[in-house]
Amino acid sequence: MLASARQSLRTPFTRLAFARRLYSTANPPRVLVTGSLGQLGTTMVNTLRAKFGSENVIASDIKKPSIEQRSTGPFVYADVLNYRALEQIVVDYGIDWVVHFSAILSAAGERNPSLGLNVNITGFQNVLDLAKAHNLRLLSPSTMGAFGPTTPKDATPDLTIMRPNTIYGITKVHMELLGEYYQEKFNVDFRSLRYPGIISADSPPGGGTTDYAVDIFHAALKHNSYESFLSADTRLPMAYIDDCIVGTMQLLEAPQEALTQRVYNVHACDFSPQELAGEIRSQHSDAFEIAYRPDFRQAIADTWPRTMADDAARKDWGWNPVFGTADIVRVMLDKLGPVYSTTASPAAAESLAEEMPAAVVAS
């Protein structure tokens, strides 16, 4: 059963049919996605459009989209720090739901704390106030980075000590608590899930501490070696992007009465750089080499869980990831292999590695 589910998600036509069947509806909502050009945003937009129709999903960002991204449906410039501009989009497009991906991630937030505070706190406050004013459903993802050095590391529960010591983690705890407050006081339909590290071949890493788990595949195919910025035994929760997007859609569409809480852990698999390198050797090349030179991101990773308990997500809205470590390695090598093949020019490889459109679930 598990093997067949994994195979179905790898087949483009079947994935699209699966998405449409799972998320079918007679009266599609109008959905605004902020930060739509990031690792998760592009894939989420494609998945939403496969289900609700292109005209009902409004992609937005402060960057210029590619021609291909613009051709799939409406795109608008949206600075999440500008409340009035966001409100005009909500009114003009008749928005019902907002998926809020705009954020400064962990490593980038440590490099530029003021930017992280501004985007992650003020940007979220703006979309939350819009949800209150216009009766919007709001899904804003959180992160395992919301936990801290005093949090239990193994089978970390949904409710536990949360004392993060990074700008990213602090702003996400703020987001979780404020979203729950608005839900309790103003009946705002706020939802969130704490992502593990997300692995995808379809867009470049976005400034996170788990980026090594994407970088390593590019390096393996290009150089057959990799220098890890985390130590060999740093175990962290991870998920392949297909599982992440399907889970996000499940929570987004779940009926309110099914939700026993507003913020959920999600955990798919866990591994260390050493274990991931071993699986790459097994599937790619016995000669693959890895060196370990931890940098400032090691201190961030040391505060995060090794594994997370996600029983509530499984029970309330059906979280059921299907990609394990070996599956992730196989699909990443399959997707990135053609980019670094001997027939591809170096310039083409660099371009493809940076610009591949994310369409994992709904392509």
Side-chain angles (χ1 to χ4, degrees):
M1 179 69 178
L2 185 61
S4 62
R6 287 172 177 156
Q7 185 59 42
S8 69
L9 286 173
R10 292 192 196 99
T11 307
F13 177 80
T14 309
R15 280 201 303 265
L16 179 56
F18 173 79
R20 285 175 172 161
R21 181 173 68 252
L22 184 59
Y23 313 132
S24 62
T25 180
N27 300 299
R30 302 274 286 175
V31 186
L32 171 66
V33 181
T34 69
S36 71
L37 299 183
Q39 180 190 33
L40 293 173
T42 307
T43 314
M44 189 68 179
V45 166
N46 289 343
T47 305
L48 287 163
R49 285 174 173 166
K51 183 242 173 167
F52 295 131
S54 294
E55 71 284 357
N56 292 316
V57 180
I58 314 304
S60 72
D61 212 305
I62 59 172
K63 299 181 291 184
K64 181 181 178 181
S66 67
I67 294 174
E68 182 175 358
Q69 288 166 329
R70 186 178 289 278
S71 69
T72 63
F75 179 90
V76 295
Y77 175 90
D79 181 353
V80 296
L81 301 179
N82 187 330
Y83 178 89
R84 290 302 177 193
L86 285 176
E87 186 169 45
Q88 183 168 354
I89 295 169
V90 168
V91 173
D92 287 351
Y93 286 92
I95 298 300
D96 303 300
W97 297 357
V98 176
V99 179
H100 180 55
F101 280 140
S102 293
I104 303 300
L105 301 184
S106 57
E110 294 308 290
R111 294 191 189 99
N112 193 338
S114 61
L115 179 64
L117 288 168
N118 201 22
V119 172
N120 294 1
I121 290 182
T122 305
F124 175 69
Q125 182 71 62
N126 283 339
V127 296
L128 188 60
D129 284 336
L130 281 172
K132 176 176 176 285
H134 295 279
N135 193 30
L136 308 177
R137 177 173 296 183
L138 171 61
L139 188 148
S140 183
S142 187
T143 168
M144 63 180 175
F147 299 115
T150 55
T151 300
K153 299 294 184 191
D154 298 306
T156 303
D158 287 307
L159 299 177
T160 186
I161 299 167
M162 300 182 72
R163 301 278 296 176
N165 59 3
T166 65
I167 290 296
Y168 183 51
I170 291 166
T171 60
K172 287 301 185 179
V173 172
H174 170 272
M175 181 211 75
E176 292 182 15
L177 294 175
L178 196 61
E180 290 176 336
Y181 178 87
Y182 269 57
Q183 192 276 322
E184 293 170 2
K185 298 294 183 180
F186 307 120
N187 200 32
V188 171
D189 188 358
F190 165 77
R191 303 161 184 227
S192 186
L193 63 172
R194 295 186 186 117
Y195 287 146
I198 305 302
I199 301 173
S200 169
D202 299 284
S203 58
T209 300
T210 58
D211 282 355
Y212 89 87
V214 176
D215 290 338
I216 193 171
F217 292 99
H218 293 273
L221 290 162
K222 190 174 182 180
H223 305 295
N224 212 28
S225 64
Y226 180 64
E227 182 175 298
S228 173
F229 53 75
L230 297 182
S231 64
D233 60 352
T234 303
R235 178 174 301 278
L236 292 170
M238 299 285 182
Y240 185 58
I241 194 167
D242 280 34
D243 281 334
C244 174
I245 295 297
V246 169
T248 303
M249 289 291 290
Q250 288 173 318
L251 177 58
L252 179 62
E253 293 207 85
Q256 288 213 59
E257 58 269 20
L259 305 181
T260 59
Q261 56 199 58
R262 289 292 162 162
V263 182
Y264 292 85
N265 287 350
V266 289
H267 181 99
C269 63
D270 53 272
F271 51 75
S272 67
Q274 186 175 52
E275 290 170 343
L276 184 59
E279 190 61 42
I280 290 173
R281 287 191 195 99
S282 175
Q283 297 194 38
H284 170 60
S285 169
D286 290 337
F288 174 71
E289 297 180 353
I290 185 168
Y292 303 98
R293 292 182 174 84
D295 65 13
F296 74 98
R297 287 167 284 195
Q298 183 67 51
I300 298 173
D302 287 343
T303 71
W304 290 353
R306 288 184 285 263
T307 63
M308 294 190 290
D310 57 7
D311 296 1
R314 293 173 185 268
K315 179 180 178 182
D316 288 1
W317 43 269
W319 167 246
N320 185 31
V322 298
F323 285 87
T325 305
D327 303 297
I328 291 172
V329 171
R330 180 165 53 251
V331 74
M332 288 293 286
L333 293 173
D334 286 348
K335 283 178 171 287
L336 292 175
V339 177
Y340 297 102
S341 69
T342 55
T343 58
S345 69
E350 292 295 334
S351 175
L352 283 169
E354 293 177 0
E355 298 179 8
M356 285 186 299
V360 178
V361 176
S363 63

